Amino acid sequence: MSTPAPESRLAELPGDLMIWVLIVSELLVFGAGIVAFLAVRTTDVVGFAEAQDLLDRTAGGINTAVLVTSGLCAALASRLRLAERRLAARLWLAAAGLLGGIFLWVKAVEYEAKVSAGIGTETHPFFTFYYLLTGFHAAHVVAGIIILALIAWRDSPRNLESGTAFWHMVDLVWILLFPVIYLLR
Amino acid sequence: MIRDNLWRAWAWLLAFSLISTFAAQWLETYASMVGILILALAYLKMRLILSRYLGLAATPYWNAGFGLVLGLYMLGLLGLYLMPFA
C-alpha cells in the first residue's frame, strides 16, 4: 500500500492550512513562555507558591468553564453552518462571543483586584509571567471575539471553519495556562 | 449518556477542569502527585479540544502527530515541575 503524498496529508487537515500554521505558531509562543515560567520557578519554588496564593483560583476555574463552553458554542456553530442552518450558526457564534466577553470581564476583575492590592509586574517574577502570559492570552480573546463577529457577518462555511479554529486555539492555550499558573504547587 | 461527540467532549472538559481545581485546592499535602494529575488532565483536555472541537478526530494521522508532540512537550513540563522535588 502506498503512502499518501505530503500534499494530500496537509489536505487532510480540517479548514484552511494557514489557520493551522497560526495555531502551531501560537502554541509554540505560549509553550515557550510556559517552559520559561516553570524553569524560573525551579529557582524559587516557595516564592512562586506564595505568589500563586494571591491568585483567585475560583475565578480561574470559572473562566476555564466559560471558555470551554464558548468553544462548544463555536464548534456547534461551525457544524450547523455546514448543515446550512445559518441563523442557528449565527446564534451559537453570538453565544461564543458573549462567553468570551464574560471571560474578559472576570479577567478584568482579577487584574483590578491585583492592581488594587499593589501587585504589579515587578512585584515578583511570578507576576511578571502572570501578567505577560494571561495578558497576551486576553489580547487573543479580544481578537477572537472580533473574528467571531466577522464570521457571523461573512458566514461562508470556510470562514466559519477558520474563524472558529482560531477561537479553539485561544481555548487550547488557556487549557494549558490555567493549570500551570493557577494550580501547580 | 451524552451521544453527541461535541457535547460529550465539553462534559469531559468541564469534569477534568473541576477535578484539577478541586485537587489543587484540597490536596495540597500531596503536591507532587496532584501536580502530575493536573498536568495529565491538561494533556487530556488539549487532546479533546484538538480532536473534537478542532476536528482532528477525522484525520488520525494528524491527531496522532499532535498527540505525540504535545505528549512529549507535557513530559518536558512535568520534568521541570518535578525538578525541585528531587
Side-chain angles (χ1 to χ4, degrees), chain A residues 27 29-35 37 52 55 60 64 67 103 107 111 126 129-138 140-141 169-184, chain B residues 38-39 42 45-46 73-74 77:
Chain A
L27 286 177
V29 171
F30 279 100
I34 288 167
V35 166
F37 172 86
Q52 192 197 54
L55 294 186
T64 304
L67 214 53
F103 177 93
K107 184 55 61 192
Y111 282 157
F126 176 91
F129 281 105
Y130 166 75
Y131 281 115
L132 187 71
L133 292 171
T134 62
F136 193 41
H137 176 262
H140 281 75
V141 175
M169 180 272 293
V170 171
D171 206 355
L172 204 54
V173 169
W174 181 254
I175 286 299
L176 191 55
L177 280 183
F178 170 65
V180 172
I181 293 179
Y182 285 74
L183 302 181
L184 280 187
Chain B
I38 287 169
L39 286 175
K45 286 189 279 182
M46 292 178 82
Y73 173 75
M74 294 304 282
L77 289 191

Side-chain angles (χ1 to χ4, degrees), chain A residues 61 64 178 183, chain B residues 11-27 34 37-38 40-42 44-45:
Chain A
T64 304
F178 170 65
L183 302 181
Chain B
W12 279 115
L13 286 167
L14 281 189
F16 289 159
S17 301
L18 270 175
I19 292 168
S20 300
T21 309
F22 282 115
Q25 295 267 43
W26 303 111
L27 299 172
V34 170
L37 173 73
I38 287 169
L41 290 175
L44 292 177
K45 286 189 279 182

Side-chain angles (χ1 to χ4, degrees), chain A residues 106-116 130-131 134-136 138:
Chain A
V106 172
K107 184 55 61 192
V109 170
E110 256 193 280
Y111 282 157
E112 201 274 328
K114 299 288 162 292
V115 172
S116 301
Y130 166 75
Y131 281 115
T134 62
F136 193 41

Side-chain angles (χ1 to χ4, degrees), chain A residues 9 12 31 68-69 79 185, chain B residues 4 10 53 59 62 73 81:
Chain A
R9 285 288 191 208
E12 284 177 19
V68 298
T69 306
R79 177 199 279 176
R185 303 291 295 169
Chain B
D4 187 292
W10 170 75
Y53 284 7
T59 161
W62 289 106
Y73 173 75
Y81 166 69

Side-chain angles (χ1 to χ4, degrees), chain A residues 6-164:
Chain A
E7 301 96 292
S8 64
R9 285 288 191 208
L10 288 174
E12 284 177 19
L13 281 168
D16 199 294
L17 177 61
M18 283 314 292
I19 200 70
W20 283 97
V21 173
L22 180 69
I23 288 170
V24 170
S25 308
E26 296 283 359
L27 286 177
L28 286 172
V29 171
F30 279 100
I34 288 167
V35 166
F37 172 86
L38 284 178
V40 175
R41 174 184 170 273
T42 61
T43 64
D44 181 16
V45 178
V46 175
F48 267 60
E50 285 171 356
Q52 192 197 54
D53 282 337
L54 300 173
L55 294 186
D56 188 342
R57 282 183 180 148
T58 307
I62 289 169
N63 258 352
T64 304
V66 166
L67 214 53
V68 298
T69 306
S70 177
L72 170 71
C73 296
L76 288 169
S78 193
R79 177 199 279 176
L80 286 163
R81 181 62 187 89
L82 287 174
E84 295 295 335
R85 293 179 59 190
R86 295 176 69 176
L87 177 62
R90 283 179 163 141
L91 289 173
W92 281 111
L93 284 177
L98 184 68
L99 288 166
I102 292 171
F103 177 93
L104 288 174
W105 179 73
V106 172
K107 184 55 61 192
V109 170
E110 256 193 280
Y111 282 157
E112 201 274 328
K114 299 288 162 292
V115 172
S116 301
I119 299 167
T121 54
E122 306 283 309
T123 306
H124 187 274
F126 176 91
F127 286 107
T128 311
F129 281 105
Y130 166 75
Y131 281 115
L132 187 71
L133 292 171
T134 62
F136 193 41
H137 176 262
H140 281 75
V141 175
V142 173
I145 292 171
I146 294 168
I147 289 170
L148 289 175
L150 284 174
I151 60 174
W153 175 41
R154 298 279 189 184
D155 68 337
S156 70
R158 185 185 168 88
N159 283 351
L160 250 78
E161 206 165 31
S162 298
T164 55

